[in-house]
Amino acid sequence: MNFFWFPLEDLPFIVLAMLVAFTVHEFAHAWTAYKFGDSTAYEAGRVTLNPMAHIDWIGLIFLVVAGFGWAKPVPVRRSRFKRPRLMSILVTAAGPFSNLLLAFIVLFVFYALVAAGVMNDSSDAALATLWTFLKYWLQINFVLFIFNLIPLPPLDGYRIVEEFAPLRIRLQLQRFEQWSFFIFLLLVFVPPLRAATIGPLFELRDPIFRGMLDLLGTLFGSSVNESFINLLIKMQMTVA
């Protein structure tokens, strides 16, 4: 029985990509809050790209085994912001959008290498290794970006929705936060619930992915786009 959602031999690539994705995500929260005037995360040593400051090892193990996980939450005191609601939204959004940026960076690398004709020999062992690492980098950062948009505590999407909600609604929502983890597990592990709730959100990945490819096609020339997409399909570079 396979307890992992990926080939076991790919574990080093998975762990490395996760460390980078989680670290940049939490750093983005901490750095943005610090720039907006809240030094709480800075004083806690979280404005750093050192993975040890951000990684929750249990959350990392869950992500490796089950396909979802978490890092240490960044402490933020919104009362220190000059414009608490707006700046809180931007601090929260900085995390998932940092993962979107990482996904775009790896697509840029893919595109540049394909445009240069470097990645056309799939039989080369070194290139195959590079493809594998970049594939997981792309997949994990896309998943973290979309997954964190789910409006369920303690995910970033919930914190953003909470900031837009009136105080009366926010107080009502807080009553259910203690049950959020159990609701989260139901949504992840019960297929009908997952399809009805999380599924539609993940449909965003295709237009986002295509939009990035169109932008790269503008930068590198549209002639690369078709061959690039075909190569992604050939190498099973699905964003899932």
Side-chain angles (χ1 to χ4, degrees):
M1 181 177 180
N2 184 11
F3 290 97
F4 301 95
W5 54 275
F6 58 89
L8 192 56
E9 61 270 20
D10 292 346
L11 181 61
F13 306 113
I14 293 286
V15 172
L16 181 57
M18 288 177 179
L19 287 174
V20 174
F22 275 147
T23 297
V24 172
H25 181 106
E26 300 303 333
F27 167 80
H29 285 314
W31 182 84
T32 307
Y34 180 62
K35 289 298 180 180
F36 284 161
D38 178 19
S39 61
T40 306
Y42 178 82
E43 293 165 359
R46 301 298 299 277
V47 186
T48 176
L49 289 173
N50 181 357
M52 296 300 102
H54 304 292
I55 297 301
D56 183 310
W57 293 105
I58 295 179
L60 183 63
I61 291 172
F62 261 81
L63 189 53
V64 170
V65 175
F68 76 93
W70 57 88
K72 295 177 183 177
V74 170
V76 176
R77 295 179 62 180
R78 67 192 302 276
S79 61
R80 294 186 173 184
F81 297 144
K82 293 181 179 179
R83 301 179 64 184
R85 173 169 291 185
L86 174 61
M87 292 182 175
S88 293
I89 291 173
L90 294 176
V91 168
T92 302
F97 277 93
S98 71
N99 293 121
L100 185 63
L101 177 60
L102 288 176
F104 180 78
I105 289 173
V106 79
L107 278 178
F108 182 92
V109 172
F110 273 132
Y111 222 103
L113 293 176
V114 171
V118 175
M119 301 297 288
N120 294 328
D121 184 7
S122 61
S123 64
D124 186 281
L127 291 180
T129 300
L130 179 60
W131 272 107
T132 301
F133 173 67
L134 295 180
K135 174 183 71 173
Y136 285 118
W137 178 301
L138 178 64
Q139 289 178 343
I140 288 169
N141 279 288
F142 252 105
V143 168
L144 284 178
F145 166 67
I146 296 176
F147 200 76
N148 274 283
L149 296 180
I150 298 173
L152 186 69
L155 299 176
D156 295 327
Y158 173 79
R159 299 303 173 194
I160 294 175
V161 170
E162 188 181 36
E163 290 294 341
F164 282 106
L167 179 59
R168 178 176 57 85
I169 302 299
R170 293 176 63 181
L171 293 176
Q172 292 178 349
L173 290 174
Q174 289 173 3
R175 298 177 183 177
F176 297 96
E177 289 187 10
Q178 60 180 323
W179 306 105
S180 62
F181 182 72
F182 300 101
I183 298 173
F184 177 80
L185 292 179
L186 288 174
L187 294 182
V188 170
F189 290 111
V190 179
L193 292 177
R194 182 172 65 242
T197 56
I198 299 178
L201 187 59
F202 268 83
E203 292 180 3
L204 291 173
R205 64 188 179 182
D206 291 334
I208 294 173
F209 189 64
R210 287 284 179 173
M212 287 182 172
L213 290 179
D214 290 340
L215 176 58
L216 291 171
T218 302
L219 295 175
F220 288 96
S222 58
S223 60
V224 180
N225 196 292
E226 183 177 353
S227 63
F228 179 65
I229 293 174
N230 291 336
L231 190 55
L232 289 180
I233 296 173
K234 179 181 178 182
M235 298 298 289
Q236 298 181 344
M237 297 288 294
T238 55
V239 182

